[in-house]
Amino acid sequence: MAVYNAAFWAIAFFLIGVFFASLNLNFLIIAGIAVFSAILFLFLYFSNSKTKLSFLWLAGLSMVIILGSFYYFYWDSQQIKTINIIFNEKMSFSGVIIDYPERGSQQKLIIELQSPLNGRILSKLKPYPSFDYGDLIRFEGIVEKPFPSDYADYLAKDGIFGIVDFPKTELIAGNKASKIKSNLFKLKEKIVISFQKVLSVQKAAFLAGITLGERAEFSKEFKEKMSKSGTTHLVALSGYNITIIGIAISAFFGWFLSRRWAFWLSITAIIGFVLMTGAEASVVRAAIMGGVALLAKEIGRIYSMRNAVAVAAFLMILFNPKILRFDLGFQLSFLALLGIIYLSPAIQRFFKMKEEKGFLGWRGNFLTTTSAQLAVAPLLIINFHQFSITSLLANVLILEAIPLTMFLGFLIGAASFLFMPMAMVLSWFTGLFLAYELTIIDIFSKFSLSIAEMGVFGAVIYYLTIAAFIFYNNRKISVKNKV
């Protein structure tokens, strides 16, 4: 087995071990599953007359399942050891805001508790007075354990083990967290404000969503429209942002700096953008993959999309193994990407579509959108009880304009710091694209055909069908190539 294949399968078995552990299975049971898998692959190795060496490799790699589960249990135990939170008692305590505040009808703050307590809690407050990242606040209230268990697991993936709702607050001091992150968050706020200065409220909010993932200004009505039309994912940051930044920075500095300097500046810009936008799973995944692609280009090695996905997942789970099961954003991001990589070519072959992207890229957008949405459909139905069939057409129509809209949005943000009239001119063109996209969302929110229910068993059958479809179409092309 080639080294890159061995690496891929080692990561795959490691992730299986992490997943089994996240189900709270006994470690001995997981070890038994790993040993059984190893024995099965050994049996296939010795029983195959052609003696496929791959089975021998897989037998050894099956033991990596044990390593993955052990890592999960060890990481979880180390995390819990550091927690010192007093629950269900009214008390005074202090803490620092360590993430970008979520604002809207209420504020949601992630707080790092100060000595003598230790750990993270989620605090919900009224909209005013408004607090910022890095503020040191004194609280008076009752910290409770999250409930139900699903919500507790969801928060635990971010290291949050307590909740305090609407406590009394008092600002003690500001700028008590990372200066770098603080400045990046301030830059993000300034860009959002620049959108609001040159565009209408709804257009500015939508542009902030698709460029920076900022949803605070979304009205409840607009959120419902996006949900019904199946376009909510447009404001979940993706690899496009990373690609634009990486390519732009690399090309710009490549004019007067060495390739190596351009590479490191591109990596730095990607990291800065990830931090500025809140480090969501989809952005982190895209950033890691973008970094792998830039690294492959730098060292002259072939860039494998499959291995890049595996490496991105491995690095993220190594940092926080809980996200594999408890972070829906992580799951949606990777499933959508796998759909684009494997399902998109199968659909193209099945319908005998041409290689060209088509007028305004409609064929490429159709394949990308359809494959990604089909890949995540069961998760959307199970978690949100809604998947719009008509969203496939809505997304094809909107995605024709989204890349240029996002690019113009970044230009408006940059122009607002240099020459505001230039930002105004750019906003006229950007406003036309935004009006078109918002109209499509509005129309398809009124004519939505939705699927509301699917159980776990149904999801398993669905994905097995998708896998069979991919395998059948890949097998057909392999047979043709042999002939």
Side-chain angles (χ1 to χ4, degrees), residues 355-386:
E355 293 292 332
E356 295 83 6
K357 291 186 177 182
F359 179 69
L360 292 177
W362 76 266
R363 194 177 289 115
N365 286 335
F366 170 78
L367 288 170
T368 300
T369 301
T370 302
S371 56
Q373 296 227 1
L374 289 176
V376 302
L379 274 185
L380 295 176
I381 296 169
I382 291 170
N383 287 279
F384 301 113
H385 306 287
Q386 184 169 315

XYZ file of all heavy atoms in Angstrom, residues 355-386:
253
model
N -17.994 18.272 -19.853
C -17.010 18.711 -18.871
C -17.062 20.216 -18.639
O -16.736 20.700 -17.566
C -15.600 18.317 -19.335
C -15.340 16.819 -19.353
C -15.314 16.219 -17.959
O -14.974 16.953 -17.005
O -15.652 15.032 -17.822
N -17.459 20.964 -19.680
C -17.493 22.427 -19.551
C -18.490 22.853 -18.475
O -19.501 22.204 -18.246
C -17.882 23.086 -20.883
C -16.867 22.867 -21.999
C -17.051 21.528 -22.693
O -18.050 20.829 -22.380
O -16.201 21.153 -23.507
N -18.201 24.000 -17.825
C -19.063 24.486 -16.745
C -20.375 25.067 -17.255
O -21.337 25.189 -16.494
C -18.326 25.544 -15.915
C -17.177 24.953 -15.100
C -16.571 25.992 -14.193
C -15.475 25.396 -13.318
N -14.895 26.386 -12.398
N -20.435 25.424 -18.542
C -21.673 25.956 -19.098
C -21.761 27.460 -18.975
O -20.919 28.120 -18.362
N -22.819 28.022 -19.567
C -23.031 29.474 -19.564
C -23.136 29.991 -18.134
O -23.947 29.510 -17.331
C -24.302 29.816 -20.340
C -24.609 31.289 -20.377
C -23.809 32.169 -21.092
C -25.703 31.790 -19.673
C -24.089 33.524 -21.115
C -25.988 33.141 -19.691
C -25.176 34.014 -20.419
N -22.262 30.971 -17.798
C -22.181 31.551 -16.444
C -21.919 30.496 -15.377
O -22.237 30.681 -14.203
C -23.472 32.323 -16.107
C -23.727 33.600 -16.906
C -25.058 34.210 -16.514
C -22.595 34.612 -16.701
N -21.349 29.356 -15.821
C -20.996 28.307 -14.870
C -22.176 27.521 -14.329
O -22.069 26.883 -13.283
N -23.323 27.520 -15.057
C -24.530 26.883 -14.507
C -24.338 25.388 -14.299
O -24.820 24.826 -13.298
C -25.731 27.125 -15.435
C -25.729 26.262 -16.678
C -25.238 26.577 -17.899
C -26.253 24.927 -16.782
N -25.400 25.532 -18.777
C -26.017 24.499 -18.118
C -26.884 24.049 -15.897
C -26.399 23.239 -18.579
C -27.255 22.795 -16.352
C -27.016 22.398 -17.678
N -23.612 24.726 -15.221
C -23.448 23.278 -15.102
C -22.585 22.930 -13.886
O -22.890 22.006 -13.136
C -22.821 22.715 -16.380
C -22.928 21.202 -16.492
C -22.356 20.701 -17.812
N -23.204 21.050 -18.938
C -22.869 21.874 -19.920
N -21.691 22.453 -19.900
N -23.699 22.131 -20.911
N -21.511 23.704 -13.701
C -20.656 23.483 -12.541
C -21.393 23.763 -11.242
O -21.280 23.012 -10.272
N -22.172 24.837 -11.223
C -22.954 25.174 -10.025
C -24.017 24.116 -9.743
O -24.280 23.780 -8.584
C -23.623 26.539 -10.192
C -22.632 27.685 -10.060
O -21.602 27.543 -9.417
N -22.929 28.807 -10.684
N -24.654 23.605 -10.812
C -25.664 22.567 -10.634
C -25.056 21.323 -9.998
O -25.610 20.767 -9.044
C -26.294 22.215 -11.981
C -27.173 20.992 -11.932
C -28.459 21.061 -11.416
C -26.699 19.751 -12.375
C -29.266 19.931 -11.348
C -27.490 18.617 -12.313
C -28.785 18.705 -11.803
N -23.913 20.881 -10.519
C -23.265 19.678 -9.989
C -22.802 19.889 -8.552
O -23.016 19.034 -7.689
C -22.076 19.290 -10.876
C -22.420 18.702 -12.241
C -21.173 18.587 -13.102
C -23.080 17.332 -12.077
N -22.176 21.024 -8.293
C -21.675 21.319 -6.949
C -22.819 21.406 -5.942
O -22.780 20.792 -4.868
C -20.884 22.636 -6.949
O -19.775 22.525 -7.838
C -20.369 22.958 -5.556
N -23.846 22.176 -6.283
C -24.981 22.375 -5.384
C -25.749 21.086 -5.142
O -26.045 20.730 -3.996
C -25.949 23.433 -5.967
O -25.233 24.652 -6.149
C -27.126 23.664 -5.042
N -26.060 20.380 -6.216
C -26.853 19.155 -6.100
C -26.118 18.101 -5.288
O -26.690 17.482 -4.371
C -27.191 18.590 -7.498
O -27.895 19.589 -8.236
C -28.052 17.343 -7.384
N -24.843 17.878 -5.588
C -24.086 16.846 -4.880
C -23.914 17.197 -3.402
O -24.058 16.333 -2.531
C -22.718 16.642 -5.539
O -21.995 17.855 -5.598
N -23.637 18.469 -3.103
C -23.462 18.888 -1.709
C -24.767 18.756 -0.928
O -24.781 18.240 0.199
C -22.954 20.323 -1.653
N -25.876 19.188 -1.524
C -27.154 19.149 -0.808
C -27.670 17.724 -0.639
O -28.260 17.391 0.386
C -28.178 20.015 -1.542
C -27.800 21.475 -1.563
C -28.950 22.383 -1.176
O -30.049 21.951 -0.858
N -28.706 23.668 -1.229
N -27.461 16.887 -1.641
C -27.861 15.482 -1.497
C -27.029 14.796 -0.408
O -27.523 13.920 0.300
C -27.698 14.743 -2.830
C -28.704 15.101 -3.937
C -28.362 14.364 -5.221
C -30.137 14.767 -3.503
N -25.773 15.190 -0.275
C -24.900 14.596 0.733
C -25.317 14.955 2.154
O -25.151 14.148 3.087
C -23.454 15.014 0.489
N -25.872 16.145 2.348
C -26.227 16.587 3.711
C -27.718 16.477 4.017
O -28.133 16.737 5.150
C -25.765 18.048 3.954
C -24.271 18.183 3.739
C -26.514 19.027 3.054
N -28.523 16.075 3.039
C -29.984 16.052 3.216
C -30.441 15.317 4.470
O -31.245 15.857 5.248
C -30.646 15.463 1.966
N -29.979 14.080 4.747
C -30.442 13.384 5.958
C -30.145 14.136 7.247
O -30.976 14.176 8.160
C -29.673 12.053 5.907
C -29.390 11.847 4.465
C -29.103 13.219 3.926
N -28.944 14.749 7.334
C -28.609 15.508 8.540
C -29.527 16.700 8.728
O -29.951 17.004 9.847
C -27.159 15.993 8.468
C -26.066 15.041 8.953
C -24.718 15.729 8.913
C -26.348 14.528 10.345
N -29.845 17.381 7.637
C -30.743 18.540 7.713
C -32.144 18.112 8.143
O -32.793 18.783 8.951
C -30.804 19.252 6.360
C -29.508 19.905 5.879
C -29.693 20.495 4.488
C -29.067 21.005 6.848
N -32.619 16.995 7.593
C -33.968 16.514 7.931
C -34.033 16.074 9.388
O -34.968 16.416 10.121
C -34.376 15.359 6.998
C -34.473 15.853 5.550
C -35.721 14.766 7.430
C -34.608 14.741 4.529
N -33.017 15.324 9.851
C -33.007 14.805 11.221
C -32.891 15.938 12.237
O -33.567 15.931 13.277
C -31.857 13.788 11.408
C -32.155 12.501 10.610
C -31.659 13.460 12.882
C -30.995 11.538 10.542
N -32.041 16.923 11.952
C -31.783 17.982 12.934
C -32.755 19.156 12.846
O -33.079 19.768 13.870
C -30.352 18.505 12.768
C -29.317 17.522 13.268
O -29.052 17.438 14.455
N -28.731 16.758 12.353
N -33.206 19.486 11.615
C -34.069 20.656 11.447
C -35.467 20.305 10.956
O -36.306 21.187 10.806
C -33.422 21.645 10.466
C -32.073 22.121 10.900
C -30.937 21.773 10.183
C -31.923 22.901 12.033
C -29.671 22.208 10.581
C -30.681 23.341 12.433
C -29.552 22.987 11.715
N -35.706 19.013 10.677
C -37.020 18.538 10.212
C -37.475 19.283 8.956
O -38.652 19.555 8.779
C -38.075 18.679 11.320
C -37.669 18.010 12.598
N -37.659 16.639 12.734
C -37.238 18.513 13.780
C -37.252 16.332 13.957
N -36.979 17.448 14.604
N -36.496 19.604 8.112
C -36.856 20.328 6.889
C -35.738 20.218 5.861
O -34.576 20.467 6.155
C -37.113 21.808 7.200
C -37.594 22.597 5.988
C -38.095 23.974 6.383
O -38.815 24.128 7.341
N -37.708 24.981 5.641
